[in-house]
């Protein structure tokens, strides 16, 4: 079948009201699900899956993809307005989104999040269509040593989100790495720091840690000092994103989109590391790097571009290899199989109409996301009219519900509250929470790939330098560390000169 015939075959599947309506409804459900703290895009997709059983295959899959894409963007709304990430991928958006909201620029932050999300989503979809085969084959070159080098480089992000004190940031990251070791050993299956409690054998639930670290401290602060928190949530403000502001951030958006495409095409990485890596690179190269973490719109753009750039790219290994790119695409594989479809190379031969139908639907989804996102921002602005004494208890209820609903386990709710007090102490001590979260996310991946590399080589560390991919990431790590040390020394020298 020729390329034109393939497009026409795909168009015949999606060129109807039912297909586009399924995609549109999916995006609406995803934005709402992503905006509810603790629910996450993953759970929204899982809850939607049963509704696809009676639908036509292409319509059911488009519905789930719409929920996926809407959920990733939706998480930025509470992250910016109430400092509570709706999804793990929105964690990096808090770093500059909430400070912008504190300055009365929540509308501008949400607008930039939407523009960056839609741009990155479109770039990711085009990369899926154009480079699916090539990127999938390149991802096959990644083994444990390559993953280890990549994740080690990603950990240098910690320096970029440590605030004014690199030492406090390092201490926060070390605490995150320590808590990430709780649970069964990934290689030998032995218990680590479980204290013989079966609830801890699977490790600390990520959603519980995430919400506890960011949302609960705000609620505790309000309860502790209610007189300082009786006002309303941050209003959207009158300002909106201007074309010059979008163009100023376009370089970071494109870079973040490409980072998302690259990491999304590698199974198992996910949107959260992509968002933090995109944010770190934007800060490293920005002319306004000192303003990052204090309400820099470029930071919001980079974070949202990084996490949304993953959405289309995770379908590359799914469609080309039959391997899910992340947890959400693992759920979507179930939808394929329920309808008698087997993702992988043969699908490009046996079901090419489905493939190109999905391609067409994904391109349209970027425009649907912009429409739904614009309405959602204006709808969620009413959050700003709710007094905090009412809003915060409502947020607390949503947090408890979201954490409990992940595993139907009250223990996770307890973890959330414990982490909330840890986060509150860190907030009072001016210890940044972002390095903790990054280390908690990347720590298990770093350890797992390091130990697998050692098992492969018989404990020969030279395997960590076995090829051009590993050398590339080791070089980037060395350059970044050198730049951090040099920047720290310059800052210390300038501080002494000013004091003198």
């Amino acid at each position: 079948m020729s390329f034109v015939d393939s497009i026409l075959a795909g168009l015949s599947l999606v060129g109807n009201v039912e297909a586009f309506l399924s995609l549109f409804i999916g995006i609406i459900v995803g934005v709402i699900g992503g905006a509810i703290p603790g629910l996450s895009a993953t759970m929204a997709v899982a809850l939607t899956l049963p509704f696809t059983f009676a639908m036509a295959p292409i319509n059911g899959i488009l519905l789930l993809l719409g929920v996926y894409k809407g959920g990733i963007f939706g998480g930025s709304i509470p992250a910016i307005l109430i400092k509570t990430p709706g999804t793990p991928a929105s964690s990096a958006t808090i770093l500059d989104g909430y400070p912008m909201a504190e300055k009365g620029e929540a509308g501008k932050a949400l607008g930039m999040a939407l523009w960056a999300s839609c741009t990155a989503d479109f770039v990711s979809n085009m990369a899926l269509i154009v480079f699916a085969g090539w990127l999938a084959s390149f991802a096959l070159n990644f083994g444990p040593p390559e993953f280890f080098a990549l994740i080690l480089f990603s950990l240098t992000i910690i320096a970029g989100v440590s605030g004014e004190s690199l030492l406090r940031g390092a201490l926060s990251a070390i605490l995150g790495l320590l808590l990430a070791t709780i649970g069964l050993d990934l290689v030998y299956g032995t218990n680590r720091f479980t204290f013989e409690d079966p609830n801890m054998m699977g490790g600390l639930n990520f959603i519980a840690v995430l919400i506890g670290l960011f949302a609960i401290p705000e609620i505790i602060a309000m309860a502790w000092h209610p007189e300082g928190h009786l006002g309303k949530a941050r209003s959207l403000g009158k300002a909106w994103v201007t074309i010059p502001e979008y163009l100023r951030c376009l370089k970071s958006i494109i870079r973040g989109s490409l980072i998302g495409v690259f990491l999304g095409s590698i199974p198992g990485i996910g949107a959260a590391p992509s968002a933090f890596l995109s944010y770190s690179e934007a800060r490293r190269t920005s002319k306004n790097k000192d303003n990052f973490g204090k309400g820099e719109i470029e930071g919001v753009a980079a974070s949202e571009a990084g996490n949304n750039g993953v959405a289309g790219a995770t379908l590359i290994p799914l469609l080309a290899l039959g391997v899910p790119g992340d947890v959400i695409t693992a759920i979507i594989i179930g939808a394929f199989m329920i309808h008698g479809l087997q993702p992988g190379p043969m699908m490009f031969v046996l079901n090419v109409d489905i493939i190109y139908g999905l391609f067409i639907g994904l391109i349209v989804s970027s425009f649907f996301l912009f429409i739904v996102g614009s309405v959602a921002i204006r709808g969620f602005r009413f959050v700003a009219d709710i007094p905090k004494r009412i809003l915060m208890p409502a947020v607390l209820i949503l947090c408890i519900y979201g954490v409990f609903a992940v595993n139907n386990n009250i223990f996770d709710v307890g973890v959330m509250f414990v982490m909330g007090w840890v986060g509150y102490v860190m907030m009072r001590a001016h210890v940044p929470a972002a390095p903790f979260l990054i280390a908690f996310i990347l720590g298990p991946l770093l350890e797992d790939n390091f130990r697998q590399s050692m098992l492969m080589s018989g404990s020969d560390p030279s395997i960590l330098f076995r090829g051009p991919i590993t050398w590339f990431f080791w070089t980037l790590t060395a350059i970044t560390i050198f730049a951090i040390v040099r920047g720290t020394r310059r800052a210390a020298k300038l501080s002494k000169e000013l004091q003198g």
Side-chain angles (χ1 to χ4, degrees), residues 156-456:
T156 60
I157 300 167
I158 290 170
V161 295
S162 293
E164 298 178 356
S165 174
L166 186 58
L167 178 61
R168 288 194 180 109
L171 291 174
S172 178
I174 290 171
L175 180 60
L177 287 171
L178 287 173
L179 292 189
T181 62
I182 293 174
L184 291 178
D185 183 280
L186 296 173
V187 177
Y188 296 108
T190 54
N191 290 326
R192 298 190 302 191
F193 306 112
T194 61
F195 304 100
E196 299 183 357
D197 187 339
N199 289 305
M200 298 183 69
M201 291 176 66
L204 300 181
N205 181 273
F206 175 71
I207 299 296
V209 172
L210 171 66
I211 292 179
L213 205 59
F214 285 98
I216 302 302
E218 293 293 317
I219 297 172
I220 293 174
M222 178 195 159
W224 207 269
H225 302 287
E227 67 280 358
H229 294 79
L230 292 179
K232 298 180 179 180
R234 308 302 177 182
S235 64
L236 297 190
K238 297 180 180 179
W240 197 250
V241 177
T242 63
I243 293 178
E245 285 174 329
Y246 175 75
L247 294 177
R248 178 170 71 84
C249 298
L250 187 59
K251 182 179 178 181
S252 293
I253 292 173
I254 297 300
R255 185 196 300 113
S257 304
L258 297 177
I259 289 173
V261 168
F262 177 69
L263 296 184
S265 66
I266 302 172
I269 297 296
S274 174
F276 279 111
L277 181 57
S278 174
Y279 180 87
S280 176
E281 287 300 296
R283 182 185 183 278
R284 185 177 64 83
T285 59
S286 176
K287 296 178 181 178
N288 303 316
K289 63 177 65 179
D290 293 335
N291 198 37
F292 273 65
K294 303 174 183 177
E296 172 57 47
I297 193 170
E298 191 176 352
V300 175
S303 168
E304 286 300 300
N307 60 41
N308 281 271
V310 169
T314 52
L315 297 173
I316 293 173
L318 184 149
L319 294 177
L321 304 173
V323 177
D326 60 3
V327 178
I328 297 179
T329 48
I331 298 171
I332 294 175
I333 278 185
F336 275 90
M337 294 181 173
I338 287 167
H339 291 289
L341 301 171
Q342 180 59 54
M346 290 305 296
M347 193 169 179
F348 284 83
V349 178
L350 301 176
N351 304 105
V352 69
D353 54 343
I354 297 284
I355 294 289
Y356 279 87
L358 290 176
F359 287 167
I360 295 169
L362 288 170
I363 292 174
V364 176
S365 71
S366 299
F367 300 97
F368 280 178
L369 178 61
F370 185 81
I371 295 170
V372 174
S374 299
V375 175
I377 289 173
R378 287 168 173 79
F380 276 95
R381 76 179 187 274
F382 295 112
V383 172
D385 295 327
I386 303 174
K388 275 196 171 182
R389 64 178 181 271
I390 298 175
L391 177 62
M392 285 304 181
V395 170
L396 178 61
I397 292 171
L398 287 174
C399 290
I400 295 173
Y401 166 75
V403 170
F404 179 79
V406 175
N407 295 316
N408 292 328
N409 189 350
I410 197 67
F411 178 80
D412 291 341
V413 178
V415 171
M416 178 191 73
F417 281 114
V418 171
M419 290 308 305
W421 280 103
V422 171
Y424 179 72
V425 172
M426 291 171 65
M427 182 172 68
R428 294 296 300 269
H430 303 289
V431 175
F436 177 102
L437 186 64
I438 295 170
F440 189 80
I441 294 171
L442 299 181
L445 294 172
L446 185 76
E447 179 194 5
D448 187 32
N449 286 285
F450 174 77
R451 296 179 68 180
Q452 285 190 43
S453 299
M454 293 299 99
L455 289 174
M456 288 169 55

Side-chain angles (χ1 to χ4, degrees), residues 103-146:
K103 296 189 294 186
E105 298 179 340
K108 189 183 288 289
L110 288 168
M112 180 54 75
L114 179 61
W115 276 101
S117 297
C118 294
T119 303
D121 186 62
F122 184 77
V123 171
S124 186
N125 292 337
M126 293 307 298
L128 167 66
I129 296 168
V130 177
F131 300 113
W134 181 81
L135 284 175
S137 62
F138 179 71
L140 290 174
N141 295 322
F142 272 70
E146 286 76 18

